[in-house]
Amino acid sequence: MSNRGQAQYLRIFDNSQTYTRWQSYYINQTITLDSASWTYNPFNADGMVSGSAGGSNVTITVPATATAISVFTAALNQNRLCEIKTYEFDTRLSNTAPQAGQSLISSYVGEVIKISGSFVELQVSLGSALSPVGAQVPPRKFTTLLIGAPLRT
Amino acid sequence: MNFSVPDPLSLLPYQSGLVVTPLEEGAAKGESQLDSPQRAITIGEPVPIVFCRRVNDQGGVFVSPGATEGRYTNNATTNELTVNLHLVLSEGDMEQLQLRDVYQRACRVGTWLQTYDRRAGTWAPGNYITEVAGTNFWNCPYYCGTQGTYDNMTTLSYQNNHADGDETWNKQVHCFVRSGINVTRILDNTLGPSNNVIDLALYLIRQSSRFPESMLDLTAMADAAEFCDVNGLYYNGEFKESTNLEDWLDSISSNFLLRVTDKNGKKGFRPRLPVNANGTIKTTAITPVFTFTEDHVLPNGYQIEYISLDQRRPILALVLWRQQPTNDIGIIRAAEVKMAGTATNGPYEQYDLSQFCATEDHAIKVGAYYVAKRYYITHSLRLNVAPSSYNSTLIVGDIVRVRLRRETNVGTVSYHDYLYEVERINRAITGTVTLDLIHFPIDSEGRSLVGLAVDAAVGPGYELPTGRLDFNCDIEGRDEDTTPLTDSGETPGGTPTEADLEYEVPIGEESPPDNTINNPTDPFNEEIPGNITGLSDPPLEGETANVVPPCASGRVTWYRVSRDIAASATEAQATSVSQREFIKEEALGGGWEAGSSLVLTSSDIDYWIVAEASCPDPGSPDGFGDRFPVGVTNLVEPDTTLYTYARWNGTINNAGSVTSYTSAWINYSNYLTICGLSSCGFAAAYITAEYGAGGTLLLAGPAIGPVPWRASVTATTPREGNFGGSFRLGGLAQNANLPACSNDAPSFSITINGIKTYSVSGTWEFSNNQSTVLRSWKGAYGSSDPILP
């Protein structure tokens, strides 16, 4: 029998503040981790991959509550970041609050790049707005403002 | 439902950059055509980025800037032409060029100015050529450009004179840039020129404004930058071709022995080779951080993919690079790299590094990596393993050992026993860990074979002559003149402003729609029009009901529904067939317009009459389609005018104490009724409710009436507690209520004491001879129950 438990934590933030802290392990509890409060919200995040570019396909599945829709659509509209952390711990020792000796086994930071789903469930994809197609660099182009009407040879 | 499918293992060598095959081969892209016509910049083309830093007599880049403005004048006597060109060298600011580094064609000539963030020089563009008799006419451009802001650009002004008939007046100008644009270097956190590709990658990522700073793995970037710096992998190039940033990061990384990584969602670079803490290539024994055995691998958790023959066959790597002398125009070189004793006559595979590689060792190391990994790295592996102690320790880039016992012959045991580099870690929500591993070949001393090959790869150091014999076309002394170009320019007035060129779309505020829902009805879901005709309201026994179906040769089915089952006509129509009593069904022929008739009988008294229709359907077993409602009547009542006598027959329920009562026959003239609830206090009166302190309801009774032919009344005391009082319920009356609080039967007195229900409940019986009961009726409907707030 495995004694390994894994708890996931979700944080939505930007440069100025944190907007949402959720955890999905301690049911109906608000727990404290890293001196911050994490409220219970059922979700799971899968597809967290570290390594070569192209492998990550992180998807958060969450009930389509009004709160969840509001949180994630705001994140999508405002380019907020979403951080998922997974901690591992011994379930025999405590299931009421995060254990001091738990280990961080994965972490992922991405922008909310896509939201889809049904009326009752949302799938939120994380990644970056860096599109694999389309010209992006050099970032600046010669414009009329920069060079006027240029010489024609 | 969600499907999550991992990338096929066969893609791993490509995703990790292990397999890098050039899609096209051609002339070196770093070559500059010296004697071509001067290029003019076109609106929309990318602003070039000159990124280089010449250190230890290595590096720098030769660029051919485009012109944005021109001025052409000639001497009215000698016809000597004076050409002024305004050029954009690069985005960003950079050190002043030296006089020895600016050319027209291959010659160091002309007068030059350089500035930043403004227009270089103060001359006005235009064509002022006049025809001089007996000389050649200068056919210079007529559209000479207008001025712009040159925001955040390094610009140049070039001026030169050309004697009558000189055909070189319109040739391209060139610059050798020793120090490119200033960036904050990641290694020393200093603003200045850089030749580190990581600095360029960070500059582009940040300038592209598509990637948040929080998603950059700056630690990995710094390690990669140190790797490049320590191993002499420098970027000296002009970045000017529009491309996709991710494509560029992927392609450029392999040419610097790096790979793009996505660690915890953060983008970074990682050396393709094992490295020491100081960034040098590790050439000592490698110790794996973990050994996976049968104990760790899950069932069906082993998947191997050998690299295909086309990616394993030895090649001769032709690596193009740029030899850059200190005081002369650079030349393109081709380094040929192969594994010893292989690919003597090819096949060739060309890797063009000439746009940015200005050192031979860089080219040789890249070539050595390409041929060595083809030679040594044979396969990749995917392991699904159960979670264990490595869950929190194993990271991408670690070297692990996989040792799996294999028994395929009796008495013989072999092992799949190799070292691997962890290329990708996927930790699923279920707890299982998927590791994508790339073969990490080692020698007998446990050292990386590829690392050894690349570390040992250095160029022969041969300096190829440029082929130029003299510098006669230079202004004398220019080839050694290190004087910086004069910083002079202007911020011209009269240029278009942002207001002249931009349009901002105003942002509206979204609001939800109003609450009105006004959808058109769907005729297929609406009730089919139809009704029951021929009846009075309420319908009386003996009347004839009629229904016309909405279709020719239709069918009508009649049902009755008891008032004990349905409380209203609507409820009656919604009852199921099992709750109804079937009366009759009539299929109509061609004369269907007359409809189906039903004479109401005594059996229909106290029933709702429901009519349904169905239309012909040859596909149905009975020849008709589904039945649909076309009408429902109110409760059928007896025709009281047909009878002489009536009596009440029922029970009296005094809070659970039940007695029966049958009244005498009454020769009625109009109607009989059962009276409601009356208060027997000082002023006796009929009431519907009695209230206590604070408006608390203590007693509720039915409508005061008189209600003709009401046969039942009920009252209730809905609260606990003894509130006393004197009330009376019931009493048989004719054509009016009895005086309040009359004690005529069937009635009884009530006091308020606890939650209780009181009722007088019965039926009317009709007769013409006071002995034979001809009809029985539960009386008027809907007025018996207590009126509750």
Side-chain angles (χ1 to χ4, degrees):
Chain A
M1 193 172 96
S2 174
N3 305 310
R4 175 173 278 103
Q6 293 186 354
Q8 290 188 323
Y9 296 79
L10 180 153
R11 183 169 75 99
I12 293 179
F13 64 102
D14 62 16
N15 288 335
S16 62
Q17 61 177 305
T18 291
Y19 298 92
T20 303
R21 283 191 179 92
W22 287 348
Q23 56 85 18
S24 61
Y25 186 83
Y26 305 97
I27 296 173
N28 293 331
Q29 290 186 66
T30 296
I31 53 92
T32 301
L33 181 72
D34 296 338
S35 305
S37 292
W38 302 75
T39 57
Y40 174 74
N41 202 80
F43 71 89
N44 69 55
D46 213 349
M48 279 175 287
V49 177
S50 287
S52 304
S56 284
N57 183 25
V58 177
T59 303
I60 301 167
T61 305
V62 62
T65 61
T67 302
I69 293 169
S70 168
V71 162
F72 286 114
T73 53
L76 181 65
N77 294 337
Q78 307 295 326
N79 301 330
R80 291 174 186 163
L81 294 166
C82 183
E83 180 184 59
I84 302 284
K85 284 185 174 180
T86 305
Y87 285 91
E88 186 178 80
F89 49 90
D90 189 336
T91 55
R92 293 171 299 185
L93 301 181
S94 172
N95 277 311
T96 57
Q99 299 171 18
Q102 67 179 0
S103 304
L104 176 68
I105 61 169
S106 73
S107 174
Y108 187 90
V109 176
E111 289 178 300
V112 174
I113 57 171
K114 197 173 78 169
I115 304 173
S116 60
S118 68
F119 194 73
V120 297
E121 182 183 274
L122 291 184
Q123 275 95 40
V124 181
S125 299
L126 303 186
S128 79
L130 197 58
S131 171
V133 294
Q136 296 151 351
V137 287
R140 296 178 77 204
K141 308 292 184 287
F142 285 110
T143 65
T144 305
L145 183 66
L146 291 175
I147 62 171
L151 170 72
R152 297 171 73 176
T153 57
Chain B
M1 183 174 287
N2 240 356
F3 293 98
S4 182
V5 181
D7 290 344
L9 182 60
S10 55
L11 288 182
L12 182 63
Y14 298 89
Q15 291 174 332
S16 65
L18 185 64
V19 172
V20 180
T21 301
L23 295 177
E24 62 177 28
E25 296 178 351
K29 293 179 180 174
E31 177 71 311
S32 296
Q33 296 302 317
L34 297 175
D35 211 17
S36 58
Q38 173 62 45
R39 184 177 66 88
I41 286 172
T42 306
I43 292 285
E45 71 177 82
V47 179
I49 297 170
V50 177
F51 197 90
C52 61
R53 185 185 186 193
R54 186 168 175 82
V55 289
N56 299 329
D57 276 345
Q58 290 184 321
V61 63
F62 195 75
V63 299
S64 305
T68 58
E69 300 171 37
R71 177 184 173 90
Y72 306 93
T73 58
N74 62 332
N75 185 291
T77 307
T78 64
N79 199 30
E80 183 183 56
L81 174 68
T82 300
V83 174
N84 290 78
L85 292 176
H86 185 269
L87 310 139
V88 175
L89 180 57
S90 173
E91 173 180 313
D93 192 12
M94 63 175 64
E95 295 175 10
Q96 297 299 109
L97 302 180
Q98 300 172 10
L99 265 178
R100 60 176 173 169
D101 292 334
V102 286
Y103 301 78
Q104 193 223 18
R105 301 176 290 130
C107 306
R108 297 177 173 97
V109 293
T111 304
W112 296 77
L113 302 170
Q114 176 185 342
T115 193
Y116 166 68
D117 203 33
R118 58 179 181 163
R119 183 179 182 277
T122 55
W123 46 268
N127 184 329
Y128 302 99
I129 300 296
T130 56
E131 193 163 356
V132 179
T135 63
N136 297 298
F137 180 73
W138 297 105
N139 193 14
C140 297
Y142 290 99
Y143 294 91
C144 300
T146 63
Q147 297 171 347
T149 61
Y150 299 103
D151 176 50
N152 189 28
M153 294 178 184
T154 296
T155 55
L156 297 171
S157 171
Y158 157 78
Q159 179 182 325
N160 199 9
N161 297 324
H162 298 270
D164 179 36
D166 184 353
E167 294 181 350
T168 67
W169 67 271
N170 65 345
K171 296 299 184 185
Q172 177 72 43
V173 297
H174 310 277
C175 311
F176 176 58
V177 183
R178 296 169 191 267
S179 299
I181 64 167
N182 295 329
V183 295
T184 301
R185 294 189 291 258
I186 192 170
L187 286 180
D188 58 9
N189 197 31
T190 302
L191 183 67
S194 171
N195 56 8
N196 198 304
V197 71
I198 301 299
D199 285 328
L200 176 58
L202 284 171
Y203 179 82
L204 293 176
I205 290 171
R206 286 165 174 156
Q207 292 295 315
S208 72
S209 304
R210 292 170 190 264
F211 209 77
E213 190 76 13
S214 313
M215 291 175 66
L216 293 175
D217 189 348
L218 293 178
T219 304
M221 294 279 196
D223 291 345
E226 185 169 29
F227 170 80
C228 291
D229 194 55
V230 168
N231 293 287
L233 309 173
Y234 302 127
Y235 188 99
N236 289 281
E238 182 188 21
F239 191 84
K240 60 183 178 183
E241 289 180 9
S242 180
T243 186
N244 179 271
L245 179 55
E246 273 208 296
D247 275 354
W248 182 81
L249 293 174
D250 281 339
S251 64
I252 201 71
S253 61
S254 57
N255 290 326
F256 286 81
L257 304 182
L258 300 171
R259 61 183 56 153
V260 181
T261 62
D262 203 346
K263 184 181 178 186
N264 300 337
K266 295 186 174 184
K267 195 169 283 299
F269 288 93
R270 184 164 61 86
R272 290 171 178 271
L273 302 165
V275 293
N276 298 305
N278 63 2
T280 55
I281 297 171
K282 188 169 186 174
T283 54
T284 54
I286 304 289
T287 305
V289 298
F290 196 87
T291 299
F292 290 94
T293 67
E294 300 82 5
D295 293 338
H296 306 99
V297 181
L298 295 171
N300 298 319
Y302 174 94
Q303 188 182 349
I304 193 167
E305 183 91 23
Y306 285 89
I307 294 170
S308 60
L309 174 63
D310 61 313
Q311 297 299 333
R312 290 294 321 282
R313 189 173 178 186
I315 58 159
L316 195 155
L318 204 61
V319 187
L320 307 185
W321 62 287
R322 206 174 59 241
Q323 177 185 311
Q324 183 57 61
T326 298
N327 289 333
D328 202 355
I329 296 169
I331 54 175
I332 303 296
R333 295 270 304 268
E336 299 185 11
V337 185
K338 58 183 172 61
M339 294 298 289
T342 66
T344 306
N345 297 314
Y348 293 87
E349 210 163 83
Q350 180 177 303
Y351 299 92
D352 188 354
L353 279 56
S354 61
Q355 282 182 303
F356 50 83
C357 175
T359 57
E360 185 180 22
D361 283 356
H362 181 172
I364 295 291
K365 284 188 185 301
V366 170
Y369 173 76
Y370 286 141
V371 298
K373 55 100 176 166
R374 270 178 173 265
Y375 189 84
Y376 291 119
I377 300 176
T378 61
H379 65 281
S380 54
L381 195 64
R382 175 169 290 167
L383 288 186
N384 290 329
V385 292
S388 186
S389 58
Y390 46 77
N391 252 19
S392 56
T393 58
L394 200 63
I395 59 173
V396 171
D398 278 349
I399 304 299
V400 298
R401 182 180 181 184
V402 177
R403 189 171 196 270
L404 300 173
R405 180 185 173 102
R406 179 180 280 128
E407 294 181 51
T408 52
N409 292 324
V410 176
T412 305
V413 175
S414 63
Y415 290 92
H416 176 98
D417 194 359
Y418 294 97
L419 292 193
Y420 293 91
E421 182 178 3
V422 178
E423 181 60 31
R424 193 183 285 161
I425 304 174
N426 184 359
R427 293 182 174 90
I429 188 71
T430 56
T432 61
V433 180
T434 302
L435 300 173
D436 285 352
L437 308 171
I438 290 181
H439 178 210
F440 188 84
I442 54 172
D443 65 5
S444 59
E445 297 177 38
R447 303 175 300 177
S448 165
L449 284 167
V450 178
L452 287 171
V454 176
D455 183 65
V458 291
Y462 174 69
E463 287 279 338
L464 189 68
T466 62
R468 181 171 183 169
L469 300 179
D470 63 64
F471 295 88
N472 289 342
C473 70
D474 288 353
I475 293 175
E476 189 172 351
R478 274 280 177 94
D479 60 331
E480 295 179 349
D481 190 344
T482 59
T483 306
L485 302 190
T486 303
D487 187 346
S488 175
E490 63 175 351
T491 302
T495 57
T497 64
E498 291 182 358
D500 296 325
L501 301 170
E502 291 184 357
Y503 175 75
E504 290 191 348
V505 180
I507 297 174
E509 196 154 311
E510 185 181 5
S511 298
D514 64 30
N515 290 325
T516 307
I517 297 177
N518 192 18
N519 294 333
T521 56
D522 181 355
F524 296 106
N525 286 330
E526 291 297 297
E527 288 186 4
I528 294 176
N531 54 22
I532 298 175
T533 59
L535 300 177
S536 50
D537 188 18
L540 301 177
E541 168 196 2
E543 292 180 334
T544 301
N546 191 269
V547 161
V548 179
C551 49
S553 301
R555 186 178 64 181
V556 177
T557 309
W558 298 89
Y559 303 94
R560 65 172 72 90
V561 180
S562 169
R563 61 189 282 176
D564 297 330
I565 291 176
S568 67
T570 305
E571 282 188 23
Q573 205 166 25
T575 53
S576 63
V577 171
S578 63
Q579 295 173 299
R580 301 172 176 176
E581 293 178 23
F582 175 78
I583 302 174
K584 75 168 186 177
E585 186 166 70
E586 186 175 11
L588 305 172
W592 59 279
E593 295 88 346
S596 172
S597 295
L598 176 72
V599 178
L600 302 182
T601 68
S602 60
S603 301
D604 298 323
I605 294 171
D606 288 325
Y607 284 83
W608 317 91
I609 304 300
V610 174
E612 290 186 341
S614 50
C615 290
D617 181 359
S620 172
D622 65 357
F624 291 92
D626 293 339
R627 293 181 180 85
F628 50 87
V630 289
V632 60
T633 69
N634 276 327
L635 286 168
V636 179
E637 298 181 359
D639 185 353
T640 57
T641 62
L642 299 176
Y643 312 105
T644 305
Y645 303 99
R647 68 179 183 187
W648 187 88
N649 183 9
T651 57
I652 300 164
N653 183 347
N654 185 349
S657 173
V658 180
T659 56
S660 297
Y661 174 77
T662 303
S663 73
W665 288 103
I666 299 170
N667 185 353
Y668 64 89
S669 58
N670 192 3
Y671 67 87
L672 303 180
T673 187
I674 296 296
C675 301
L677 177 68
S678 54
S679 171
C680 308
F682 176 71
Y686 282 96
I687 60 172
T688 58
E690 176 71 14
Y691 293 94
T696 306
L697 180 66
L698 301 178
L699 173 66
I704 290 174
V707 180
W709 298 111
R710 177 163 69 180
S712 300
V713 289
T714 301
T716 181
T717 50
R719 292 181 62 82
E720 294 285 2
N722 186 354
F723 296 93
S726 177
F727 306 91
R728 194 160 193 89
L729 181 68
L732 175 60
Q734 183 174 186
N735 296 336
N737 277 338
L738 294 168
C741 263
S742 296
N743 58 0
D744 293 18
S747 68
F748 57 96
S749 61
I750 295 172
T751 60
I752 303 171
N753 185 8
I755 300 173
K756 293 173 181 170
T757 299
Y758 309 90
S759 67
V760 174
S761 179
T763 60
W764 300 111
E765 293 176 343
F766 296 88
S767 175
N768 284 332
N769 59 10
Q770 301 186 58
S771 61
T772 305
V773 176
L774 298 174
R775 294 290 181 269
S776 183
W777 179 33
K778 292 178 180 176
Y781 185 75
S783 57
S784 302
D785 294 333
I787 300 171
L788 296 171

